[in-house]
Amino acid sequence: MPVTLDLVLDCPPDAAWEAVHAPSVFRAVSGPWTTVESLEPGGFPERWPGGEHRVRLKLLGVVPMGVQVIRLSDESRMLSDGSTERIVHDAGGPVSGPMRVVRSWHHRMAISVAPGGRTLFRDRLDVGAGFLTPVVMIGFWAFWQLRARKIKRLAPGWRTQFASRP
């Protein structure tokens, strides 16, 4: 039972690609409902490389939700029209706290070209929580709707924020 978003963002695909690798963007689109603290030595990097990254989540900055592992990997694939789609996968998931009810986690964010130099952003979350999955998915669906509004609002600024990155 997935939660999905299909958005056209007002920024170039390269900027969106960098944004989905930026802890600052992750934190911005998660808040204020969820606050995120890095548990890595030195805190959040400017850009997440592939691999594992541990974070602590709090609801409204106060209620502990537990620790989550973000396990990132990137993929590129050729589409039937000859364009390229880039996908970042997060195959981590909660490891402690109330969020631990989620036993399986796969989050994918796909970036491809949309008309006018904009970005097609496809976001899919698949989780499994046993018999609680439908209830958990209602919460994630609501969170994803708030997240979508923030992504759409922030995306135009990514054009300049991530312009100097490769």
Side-chain angles (χ1 to χ4, degrees), residues 20-23 26-27 30 36-40 44-45 48-57 67-73 88-95 105 107 109:
V20 299
H21 287 87
F26 171 65
R27 293 174 75 195
S30 297
V36 185
E37 169 192 356
S38 175
L39 296 177
E40 299 300 319
F44 287 111
W48 268 324
E52 290 192 2
H53 313 279
R54 296 174 66 85
V55 297
R56 182 182 334 272
L57 305 171
V67 171
Q68 180 158 337
V69 171
I70 298 170
R71 186 175 300 120
L72 299 177
S73 64
V88 62
H89 295 269
D90 171 11
V95 294
W105 178 278
H107 180 203
M109 293 175 282

Side-chain angles (χ1 to χ4, degrees), residues 3-21:
V3 176
T4 61
L5 296 175
D6 288 317
L7 306 172
V8 175
L9 303 179
D10 189 16
C11 69
D14 287 344
W17 182 247
E18 289 305 312
V20 299
H21 287 87

Side-chain angles (χ1 to χ4, degrees), residues 3-158:
V3 176
T4 61
L5 296 175
D6 288 317
L7 306 172
V8 175
L9 303 179
D10 189 16
C11 69
D14 287 344
W17 182 247
E18 289 305 312
V20 299
H21 287 87
S24 61
V25 170
F26 171 65
R27 293 174 75 195
V29 302
S30 297
W33 301 106
T34 304
T35 58
V36 185
E37 169 192 356
S38 175
L39 296 177
E40 299 300 319
F44 287 111
E46 184 177 334
R47 184 183 198 278
W48 268 324
E52 290 192 2
H53 313 279
R54 296 174 66 85
V55 297
R56 182 182 334 272
L57 305 171
K58 290 185 181 176
L59 181 64
L60 301 172
V62 180
V63 180
M65 295 301 292
V67 171
Q68 180 158 337
V69 171
I70 298 170
R71 186 175 300 120
L72 299 177
S73 64
D74 292 342
E75 169 190 6
S76 290
R77 64 183 188 164
M78 189 69 73
L79 300 176
S80 60
D81 66 2
S83 65
T84 301
E85 177 179 63
R86 294 175 282 181
I87 305 167
V88 62
H89 295 269
D90 171 11
V95 294
S96 71
M99 290 285 294
R100 184 67 182 115
V101 69
V102 174
R103 294 183 224 145
S104 66
W105 178 278
H106 188 187
H107 180 203
R108 295 176 287 283
M109 293 175 282
I111 305 291
S112 57
V113 176
R118 298 186 310 162
T119 297
L120 175 59
F121 175 76
R122 292 182 308 113
D123 193 6
R124 179 180 172 125
L125 176 65
D126 290 287
V127 298
F131 71 91
L132 292 175
T133 300
V135 174
V136 168
M137 292 307 289
I138 291 169
F140 279 118
W141 181 88
F143 180 76
W144 243 239
Q145 303 317 299
L146 296 170
R147 188 172 180 272
R149 289 199 326 228
K150 287 193 173 197
I151 289 169
K152 292 273 292 180
R153 190 179 35 153
L154 292 172
W158 297 343

